Amino acid sequence: LEVGDSESLARVGAEIAVAGFFRDQRPLRGGAGLADWRLCGWLSRLLLASRATGEPGEAVLVPTQGRLRAPRLLLVGLGARARFGAEAHRSAVQVSLQRLLDLGAGSAALDLPPPAGEAGADAVAAGIVEGACAALDARPGRLLLRIVAEPGTAPRMRNALERAAAARPRGATSLRMTRQPAAAPGPSAGIPLPRAPMA
């Protein structure tokens, strides 16, 4: 796990950028909104054509054509904004990592919104660690996951992730904090992924 200092999803070096979007929040916000702006509204056009809806478990992989530092963007559906609590957040992290492992990604930048009503670093970190461990328990692998933090919150998020990882039982899936750079991006391709139910 790595937390970027004052980096936006557009500037984080990784093979795949991951952004979540809600079925009932338009225009897109957060990482998905930034990516849509960088892609000149292409994501909004996908939504208007009903090629993506934002339902939980939905995932769409698209090329960024050099407009983000990552060559590919994985859009993950989050469902209704009001229902995006701690469990939905954990499930979104798990689905994201399962898709990344299925794609064979070595590095990814994760930009998901915090759970509704629980925007504190500890709640967000717990969801990230629990979701990541659940995905890795189901399919072991190695992945450098770079967490995109709000400006000025990277040290707090890094500390919260360290606490959440340290609280895991002995012998459980291991996570460690790192400051190493992400792997070099590979070639891009656009692949729509089948919907998977969220746990």
Side-chain angles (χ1 to χ4, degrees), residues 1 86-87 89-91 93 115 118 120-134 157 159-165 167-168 175:
L1 297 174
E87 180 56 28
H89 177 260
R90 185 206 63 76
S91 292
V93 173
E118 300 183 52
D122 286 318
V124 174
I128 291 170
V129 167
E130 290 168 17
C133 288
M157 179 57 67
N159 291 337
L161 285 164
E162 287 173 351
R163 287 191 297 274
R168 299 276 302 157
L175 298 174

Side-chain angles (χ1 to χ4, degrees), residues 35-113:
D36 190 37
W37 180 73
R38 286 289 187 114
L39 294 170
C40 302
W42 192 73
L43 303 180
S44 291
R45 291 192 293 279
L46 269 183
L47 299 176
L48 287 170
S50 299
R51 300 203 47 207
T53 62
E55 290 297 324
E58 177 183 40
V60 180
L61 186 67
V62 299
T64 64
Q65 301 176 8
R67 294 173 189 261
L68 303 180
R69 191 162 169 204
R72 295 181 288 173
L73 171 68
L74 180 65
L75 290 171
V76 177
L78 305 176
R81 180 64 180 116
R83 299 188 63 173
F84 191 69
E87 180 56 28
H89 177 260
R90 185 206 63 76
S91 292
V93 173
Q94 182 178 348
V95 166
S96 298
L97 264 73
Q98 286 170 336
R99 296 308 179 101
L100 291 166
L101 292 167
D102 288 345
L103 290 165
S107 64
L110 183 70
D111 190 345
L112 294 178

